[in-house]
Amino acid sequence: MKLRLFPQEPAGLNLLSLMARQIVLATGTLAEILGVPVVEHGRLVEDMHNHEAKSAELHFALLTHMRTSFVNVLPREDMYALSRYLNEAMEKLDAAAELVSLYKLQRLPKRATDQLEIISRQAELTVEAMRQLNNLDDLEDYWIEILRLSKRAERTHRVWTADMVADMKWAAYTRNRDIANQLVEVTRDMRRIATQVGSIIVKES
């Protein structure tokens, strides 16, 4: 039998899913930024700012929804934590894009693309997971897969950092390190979301 917390309409879950979708879109925009000449960065960074603004708008819409709904699909503190982590992940992607533009980086190592692929996959899984939060027994595989991807991201970050230390002069190293740190922090936020989901599963089991 499916485990359901409450039967009411899942407007809050839809908002969380839309926030995760913004991260999927943002990873695509950042991938574009990494593949175009510096002169084209401005237009794409503006697109990234729009993704971040939409994420913030959805975050505040969820806060309003929680305040005005008599009963929510999940405890308010869980919904707030999920929304906050999603919004913070989006802010870090936005910062990474802006740093690429400010530093006028023509291209980044392949490790950057690897991290973006991980983030995109984490976000795609999270889009679906947020919609299913009222069917918690469907989400254990999501929790496990996000943790697996997070471990891969941490290894990628370590190798990327080691390569930068070995191959780059100090100025180039610091610029690339700043972006690498932003991206790995996004993967950590996605892991925090999955851990929060895991906590909900444990509490409600």
Side-chain angles (χ1 to χ4, degrees):
M1 185 173 70
K2 299 293 185 185
L3 175 60
R4 292 181 181 273
L5 297 179
F6 300 103
Q8 66 272 20
E9 63 88 20
L13 304 190
N14 290 336
L15 289 168
L16 289 171
S17 182
L18 288 170
M19 290 182 73
R21 179 64 182 160
Q22 286 303 309
I23 296 173
V24 175
L25 296 173
T27 56
T29 300
L30 185 49
E32 284 188 70
I33 291 171
L34 299 184
V36 301
V38 170
V39 293
E40 297 184 36
H41 284 175
R43 169 181 58 84
L44 292 168
V45 169
E46 187 60 32
D47 287 346
M48 184 66 83
H49 291 337
N50 290 335
H51 292 315
E52 192 278 330
K54 180 63 175 179
S55 176
E57 177 185 318
L58 291 166
H59 176 58
F60 290 117
L62 180 61
L63 298 184
T64 299
H65 171 75
M66 288 190 295
R67 287 198 307 270
T68 57
S69 297
F70 180 70
V71 180
N72 289 285
V73 176
L74 296 173
R76 285 178 171 85
E77 60 270 22
D78 288 320
M79 293 183 71
Y80 173 75
L82 292 168
S83 182
R84 178 168 65 89
Y85 294 142
L86 285 164
N87 196 50
E88 288 175 357
M90 183 65 245
E91 288 174 350
K92 288 160 188 166
L93 276 173
D94 185 43
E98 192 163 39
L99 285 170
V100 171
S101 179
L102 289 171
Y103 291 157
K104 295 181 170 56
L105 295 177
Q106 188 65 52
R107 60 181 154 181
L108 288 170
K110 181 181 179 299
R111 302 294 176 189
T113 301
D114 293 343
Q115 290 294 58
L116 282 179
E117 288 175 357
I118 293 169
I119 293 167
S120 181
R121 182 58 182 152
Q122 287 178 318
E124 288 168 355
L125 291 169
T126 302
V127 170
E128 294 305 315
M130 295 300 98
R131 292 190 184 121
Q132 296 171 15
L133 281 169
N134 56 351
N135 291 316
L136 295 179
D137 53 352
D138 291 341
L139 289 177
E140 190 169 341
D141 288 344
Y142 156 76
W143 180 17
I144 293 168
E145 180 62 9
I146 293 291
L147 297 183
R148 186 191 69 78
L149 288 166
S150 296
K151 290 178 182 179
R152 181 179 149 200
E154 294 291 343
R155 287 194 297 270
T156 298
H157 182 68
R158 289 192 292 271
V159 173
W160 187 1
T161 301
D163 289 346
M164 288 188 290
V165 170
D167 300 336
M168 294 179 180
K169 294 182 179 179
W170 178 252
Y173 165 75
T174 56
R175 294 187 189 104
N176 281 265
R177 180 201 59 196
D178 286 350
I179 294 159
N181 288 346
Q182 291 290 340
L183 294 183
V184 78
E185 283 298 327
V186 176
T187 72
R188 290 167 183 166
D189 280 332
M190 302 309 291
R191 179 171 181 158
R192 290 179 185 108
I193 293 162
T195 300
Q196 191 75 29
V197 170
S199 174
I200 295 167
I201 291 171
V202 169
K203 285 188 295 185
E204 300 297 330
S205 61

